[in-house]
Every structure is written in structure tokens, then in C-alpha cells.
Amino acid sequence: MKLILLGPPGAGKGTQAVELAKRRGIPQLSTGDMLRAAVKAGTEIGRKAEAVMKAGGLVSDEIVIGIIADRIAEPDCAGGFILDGFPRTLKQAAALDELLDTKGTILDAVIELKVDDEALLARIENRARETIAAGGTPRADDNAEALKTRLWAYYKETAPLIGYYFAQGKLKSINGMAPIADVARQIDALLEA
Ligand code: ADP
């Protein structure tokens, strides 16, 4: 099964993608995680991406498309995967369709998590607070200033994908404001439908 989880920053894509990946026995592919790992490792991609990510902007299509093309060619993706944080632009969506087409396969569904804007800042501030309380370092972009830029990028670049996938008949929207377990149940129910 090949799925995309779509939604604004703080919508709960990562939380749901990790759990769904476990339930389905397929990998969760988070471009955000991959890019953060590249920054930490100090690779060339990491060096290019670091400042943009910290400010809450989008890393170039070329970089993320390359990362995903390499990753989905790995053997563990043969049985399917869950994309979390990719695609984020129409160009990335078109590149993904092309990539899958060359493999003779297609996406099964795109799950949109709908969350009120006001809830997003609270969730992100909460994530930063919990990380600090647990003795960790919060993400460089989990602050009010970077969130503004991330939301702007979401509405300008990523929200148009809702129409793109609706037109393909692949879009399934669910209420991301419900408790985590309820959202998970909603996802399972619509994948079974
Ligand atoms: P979020 O909580 O905002 O959904 P992610 O962990 O998915 O965060 O991504 C963090 C940052 O990594 C983004 O703000 C962006 O700078 C970069 N990034 C991740 N995925 C992409 C992508 N597909 N295209 C461009 N930039 C990306």
C-alpha cells in the first residue's frame, strides 16, 4: 500500500504515520526526519538544508525529490510505504507520480488531516515544552516565528495538493482534531472502505 499523509505542520502526520506504518508493516518515510538526520550528520544536503529548515522555509524540490527517489528504490519499500511530509509542492507531487509510473505502480490514497489553525501553534509549543521537560533539545523550527513561515509555506505551496489529489480521486479527508487513537481508527476505517 502506498499512502501519503497530508496536512499542516503540527497536524499529527508524524504521530499517525509511525503508528500506521507499524500496523501495516511498511516503512514510514519522513523527509523532515531524513533532512534533520542529514543536518546532524553534516552531509552536503544537510549543509544546504539547515538554514532554510531552521527558518521554516521549504528545502528545494530538487533535493527532496532526489532523497525520496533514492529511498523508495530501497528493497524495504517494495511492499509499499507511507509518505510523511512529502510531497509538499505541486512539482514534488508530479515528480512522485512520474517516479511511481516508471515503476508501474500508483498511489493508493492520500489522507488529509484537517486541523484548526489555532490548534497548530498550541501543539507545536507543547511539543517543544515536552521535549525540554524530557531533557531533550526542541526542533530548531518549533517556535512561533518559524511556525508562521511553515504555515505560510503550507498554504502557498502544499495546500494546492488537496485539489491535485482530489482531481485524481485519491483524497480522503479526516478530522485531525480528534484524540490520537480516534484519528488512527478513522484512518483504518477509510483504508478498509
Ligand atoms: P512539519 O512538522 O512542519 O510537518 P517536517 O518534519 O515534515 O515538519 O519538516 C521539517 C522541515 O523540513 C520543513 O519545514 C522543511 O524545511 C523541510 N522539509 C521536509 N520535507 C520537505 C519537502 N517535501 N519539501 C521541502 N522541504 C521539506
Side-chain angles (χ1 to χ4, degrees):
M1 183 164 260
K2 298 176 188 71
L3 301 170
I4 292 175
L5 285 190
L6 192 65
K13 299 183 298 289
T15 305
Q16 294 297 333
V18 168
E19 291 305 315
L20 182 60
K22 278 191 210 145
R23 296 200 293 282
R24 303 260 152 185
I26 50 178
Q28 170 231 6
L29 312 184
S30 158
T31 39
D33 288 349
M34 294 177 208
L35 289 167
R36 278 186 288 275
V39 169
K40 207 169 161 205
T43 64
E44 194 192 333
I45 284 177
R47 282 197 300 277
K48 282 186 187 158
E50 187 169 14
V52 180
M53 289 176 75
K54 191 169 179 210
L58 291 184
V59 174
S60 79
D61 287 331
E62 196 195 348
I63 289 181
V64 289
I65 291 166
I67 291 180
I68 284 293
D70 289 347
R71 185 61 188 91
I72 65 178
E74 299 278 326
D76 65 329
C77 290
F81 46 80
I82 298 164
L83 290 167
D84 160 14
F86 180 94
R88 252 181 165 90
T89 66
L90 286 169
K91 195 160 167 218
Q92 292 175 22
L96 176 64
D97 281 345
E98 222 177 284
L99 263 172
L100 294 178
D101 191 50
T102 58
K103 293 180 189 291
T105 180
I106 53 165
L107 278 171
D108 293 280
V110 178
I111 301 168
E112 183 206 0
L113 294 178
K114 291 171 94 77
V115 178
D116 299 342
D117 274 357
E118 307 87 79
L120 300 175
L121 180 59
R123 283 186 179 190
I124 281 174
E125 285 179 337
N126 196 36
R127 173 160 74 189
R129 258 196 310 273
E130 282 175 359
T131 306
I132 293 167
T137 311
R139 273 171 48 172
D141 60 350
D142 270 354
N143 58 72
E145 198 48 45
L147 178 67
K148 253 190 257 162
T149 311
R150 285 156 71 195
L151 272 178
W152 171 254
Y154 177 76
Y155 285 111
K156 185 160 176 280
E157 304 285 353
T158 311
L161 300 186
I162 294 168
Y164 180 87
Y165 289 119
F166 177 78
Q168 288 189 359
K170 300 229 163 83
L171 189 75
K172 297 174 192 282
S173 300
I174 60 171
N175 173 18
M177 295 298 292
I180 292 174
D182 289 357
V183 176
R185 271 192 290 274
Q186 287 184 69
I187 293 175
D188 284 341
L190 66 80
L191 292 179
E192 252 94 80

